Amino acid sequence: LETNPKKRPLAHGLESVATLLTSVEETPEPIPTVIKGNIPSWINGSFLRNGPGKFEFGESRFNHWFDGMALMHRFHICDGQVTYSSRFLRSDSYVQNLEKNRIVVSEFGTLAMPDPCKNIFAQFFSRFQIPKATDNAGVNFVKYKGDFYVSTETNYMRKIDPQSLETKEKVDWTKYIAVNAATAHPHYDREGATYNLGNSYGRQGYFYNIIHVPRGEGGTDGADLNGAKILCSIPAASSRKPSYYHSFALSENYVIFIEQPIKLDLLKFMLYRVLGKGFHEVMSWEPQLETVFHVVDRRTGQLSKTRYYTNAMFTLHQINAYEDNGYLIMDMCCGEDGSVIGNFTLENLKAAGEEMDKFYSSLCTILPWRYVLPLEVKEEEPNDQNLINLPNTTATAMKTTTGVFCTHENLYNHDLLEYGGLEFPQINYTHYNARPYRYFYACGFGHVFGDSLLKMDLEGKKLKVWRHPGLFPSEPVFVPAPDAKDEDDGVVMSVVVTPRERKSSFLLVLDAKTFTELGRAEVPVDIPFGTHGLFNEMG
């Protein structure tokens, strides 16, 4: 085994996960599951999950894992019993592809080809139309004003009935506020408002916009994003090459946007239809650039005058952020090579044998890092001295001629590398988001998909692990116990799939404190590897 302090061990003999990337049928009517062990009777609600579930129409196939048609899953838990149902999102993309029995709507990594029935001139000219954004919302379940939506990274979301998983109306952000897209990772504050991040471009340039959607009661017939407003517009460092972003951080008083050196080339983007390239091919990793943290007061919308920056890194998912004695602490999953996103083609993911080992070894290890930003930086502070004086962190922040340069603290010990680093972090969000916290949960990545569940205790950076060969767990979601005293009183849920046998997926319920299995609900259907989800508590 390699023992480079930053690298995980080299892969050898990874098994094929191709069966976890094949199309499945939906299960629209709830079916019973077989319970092994014990599902605590206090859990009352639905675990909702999202992710790709159909990878071809007729003869045409999607190229990239993100492109698969959204399949929504619901595990309904009540009195220790669990039912399972799933439905394809009836997006316009899905309906049109189904109708024509071929891919007619372009996705992230798949370009829809011109209609073979058109004459040659019409085919030629159809390449020059900028494709409409897809509403294949396969990334996450999100909430606005008490209503449930599924979301991807375009300007379209779909309202969903969380009980029946029925597809309701299509929601276009641009009809409410001047943004062209919004992330699938909003944040929620204690008052019930939702924050998100969207972009806009026009004559003035390219902007990243922080969006605020007020609280609401939900239960209205239609979608309701009324009252949504832009809190702050942050101009892109280069308006021709804006940064890709997947999420952002939120503390008690601040929203933090991370401008990273994964760039979208807008000129290429305009041309990509003509060149026959997928969206992921207009993204480039530019490690010579810095990563900038833009700190915005979430009540006034005021952007901090201090420019906080660090070396090139990339991050998809934030763990938590909070304030402590005049410092802003941000914990996130980071990597040193951002060229990874385009690599998740179905061809790469379906590799076998040495090809799979090679692909896995080419991926950068994602690790938990902590940045600490001093909120008050005085003019008279000398340059090149560490501005952080908190007792328990090795992160630094130096004043320079261009701002405050931050270096991170590693939030892990060497043992994490044995599990391949981690991604898909989750915390006790209800009670500890934007506050000081001690624990987070994640998937360990000893394979191209998560192959273990991890619990990190930040006091001593100690790991607890659930790992079994051939089992691939999804993002762990924490559900607090009703009478919780401690931060980790509750359960962690994950959907576990395996390429080794058909129809042997299960919902796993772990005791969050001890990280041992309480019970599982076995589902007699195939479930593909998914993305994100949430727990919807029932009254």
Side-chain angles (χ1 to χ4, degrees):
L1 290 183
E2 274 197 321
T3 50
N4 175 333
K6 272 192 182 159
K7 283 232 166 80
R8 55 192 175 195
L10 285 173
H12 185 65
L14 291 179
E15 66 187 288
S16 164
V17 290
T19 54
L20 304 179
L21 299 156
T22 43
S23 301
V24 298
E25 300 293 314
E26 60 183 4
T27 309
E29 292 308 315
I31 56 171
T33 61
V34 176
I35 306 290
K36 299 272 167 76
N38 169 38
I39 309 282
S41 57
W42 58 260
I43 304 174
N44 182 18
S46 297
F47 186 24
L48 302 172
R49 286 200 35 85
N50 202 347
K54 184 168 173 61
F55 298 96
E56 71 288 306
F57 287 91
E59 297 298 296
S60 50
R61 296 177 184 285
F62 290 114
N63 299 331
H64 199 283
W65 180 53
F66 298 168
D67 299 345
M69 294 289 101
L71 180 63
M72 303 172 287
H73 308 265
R74 178 179 187 253
F75 292 85
H76 185 61
I77 308 163
C78 185
D79 294 332
Q81 294 305 306
V82 180
T83 61
Y84 169 79
S85 55
S86 67
R87 280 193 174 197
F88 279 108
L89 177 69
R90 298 306 194 265
S91 60
D92 291 354
S93 303
Y94 177 86
V95 171
Q96 288 165 16
N97 291 340
L98 203 59
E99 234 167 60
K100 292 274 201 290
N101 198 30
R102 63 186 184 84
I103 296 168
V104 294
V105 180
S106 292
E107 298 289 340
F108 175 76
T110 308
L111 197 72
M113 287 327 275
D115 186 340
C117 305
K118 281 185 181 166
N119 72 31
I120 192 90
F121 286 109
Q123 275 194 40
F124 178 75
F125 284 111
S126 71
R127 282 186 173 258
F128 288 88
Q129 293 160 346
I130 293 288
K132 282 227 309 261
T134 180
D135 64 337
N136 174 35
V139 180
N140 207 354
F141 272 90
V142 298
K143 285 174 84 172
Y144 292 96
K145 297 192 172 190
D147 291 328
F148 286 84
Y149 297 84
V150 283
S151 173
T152 177
E153 301 190 327
T154 67
N155 56 311
Y156 295 119
M157 295 189 299
R158 279 283 185 166
K159 195 174 172 186
I160 294 299
D161 179 325
Q163 262 72 48
S164 67
L165 297 183
E166 250 176 288
T167 304
K168 302 282 194 195
E169 72 200 272
K170 181 171 169 178
V171 180
D172 181 351
W173 275 104
T174 62
K175 300 273 187 289
Y176 292 90
I177 42 175
V179 296
N180 301 311
T183 83
H185 289 288
H187 273 293
Y188 311 100
D189 69 15
R190 305 252 180 279
E191 289 75 58
T194 308
Y195 293 81
N196 209 334
L197 190 63
N199 53 352
S200 61
Y201 42 92
R203 290 219 177 101
Q204 275 73 48
Y206 192 103
F207 294 89
Y208 312 106
N209 302 300
I210 293 164
I211 304 164
H212 174 268
V213 181
R215 56 172 300 181
E217 294 317 303
T220 51
D221 281 347
D224 173 18
L225 293 180
N226 290 315
K229 63 174 199 263
I230 291 174
L231 261 189
C232 177
S233 287
I234 300 161
S238 153
S239 59
R240 252 199 52 208
K241 279 195 161 184
S243 290
Y244 170 77
Y245 54 86
H246 186 78
S247 65
F248 61 100
L250 177 87
S251 72
E252 206 73 60
N253 294 297
Y254 300 95
V255 179
I256 306 93
F257 167 59
I258 299 132
E259 190 170 17
Q260 54 188 0
I262 300 181
K263 297 296 184 177
L264 296 172
D265 188 321
L266 289 187
L267 274 186
K268 270 195 197 158
F269 181 62
M270 301 304 177
L271 279 170
Y272 90 125
R273 182 72 187 240
V274 187
L275 300 171
K277 289 186 183 305
F279 185 67
H280 67 297
E281 294 178 90
V282 301
M283 288 165 68
S284 60
W285 168 241
E286 309 211 355
Q288 74 284 4
L289 299 174
E290 293 156 351
T291 302
V292 181
F293 303 119
H294 300 275
V295 178
V296 176
D297 183 308
R298 75 177 174 95
R299 289 181 181 79
T300 64
Q302 201 60 46
L303 180 63
S304 166
K305 289 193 176 39
T306 307
R307 178 179 183 270
Y308 301 96
Y309 67 106
T310 185
N311 291 327
M313 63 90 167
F314 91 102
T315 177
L316 290 176
H317 299 114
Q318 316 304 304
I319 305 169
N320 201 1
Y322 62 91
E323 293 144 48
D324 181 2
N325 279 317
Y327 297 96
L328 175 63
I329 295 176
M330 289 193 300
D331 298 345
M332 49 190 134
C333 294
C334 299
E336 291 181 338
D337 176 6
S339 58
V340 49
I341 295 180
N343 297 343
F344 276 69
T345 61
L346 289 165
E347 186 185 6
N348 282 339
L349 292 171
K350 286 183 161 186
E354 273 178 36
E355 288 301 303
M356 174 53 87
D357 293 350
K358 217 159 83 190
F359 172 54
Y360 173 79
S361 302
S362 75
L363 296 172
C364 106
T365 309
I366 308 292
L367 296 162
W369 292 359
R370 167 168 291 180
Y371 287 96
V372 180
L373 280 48
L375 288 163
E376 291 292 318
V377 181
K378 296 190 182 67
E379 286 289 320
E380 62 273 16
E381 298 276 6
N383 285 353
D384 304 328
Q385 274 186 25
N386 184 15
L387 301 176
I388 296 168
N389 96 41
L390 278 178
N392 44 13
T393 184
T394 57
T396 67
M398 307 274 188
K399 193 166 154 235
T400 66
T401 49
T402 58
V404 172
F405 180 76
C406 305
T407 63
H408 67 270
E409 170 187 359
N410 290 332
L411 285 188
Y412 61 92
N413 289 318
H414 194 73
D415 58 350
L416 174 61
L417 294 166
E418 292 166 41
Y419 298 100
L422 58 80
E423 249 295 2
F424 290 141
Q426 287 281 342
I427 59 169
N428 178 342
Y429 192 94
T430 321
H431 300 113
Y432 289 86
N433 184 50
R435 291 180 174 169
Y437 74 117
R438 180 173 166 183
Y439 304 106
F440 70 87
Y441 311 92
C443 287
F445 273 74
H447 201 303
V448 296
F449 286 135
D451 66 343
S452 63
L453 291 170
L454 307 174
K455 175 189 183 182
M456 176 68 78
D457 180 348
L458 291 173
E459 282 184 20
K461 301 174 187 174
K462 294 190 292 287
L463 275 184
K464 283 190 164 83
V465 183
W466 183 93
R467 186 188 205 182
H468 295 277
L471 296 183
F472 291 82
S474 71
E475 170 186 70
V477 169
F478 177 88
V479 182
D483 48 0
K485 307 253 183 309
D486 296 329
E487 181 183 337
D488 57 352
D489 282 342
V491 297
V492 165
M493 290 182 193
S494 172
V495 179
V496 181
V497 293
T498 177
R500 296 185 180 185
E501 311 170 52
R502 303 267 334 252
K503 301 192 168 148
S504 50
S505 316
F506 59 92
L507 172 70
L508 172 70
V509 180
L510 298 177
D511 178 320
K513 218 181 218 3
T514 60
F515 223 53
T516 53
E517 182 172 336
L518 292 171
R520 57 176 73 178
E522 296 176 344
V523 188
V525 300
D526 285 320
I527 297 179
F529 199 84
T531 46
H532 299 285
L534 51 75
F535 184 72
N536 177 25
E537 218 166 311
M538 303 293 180

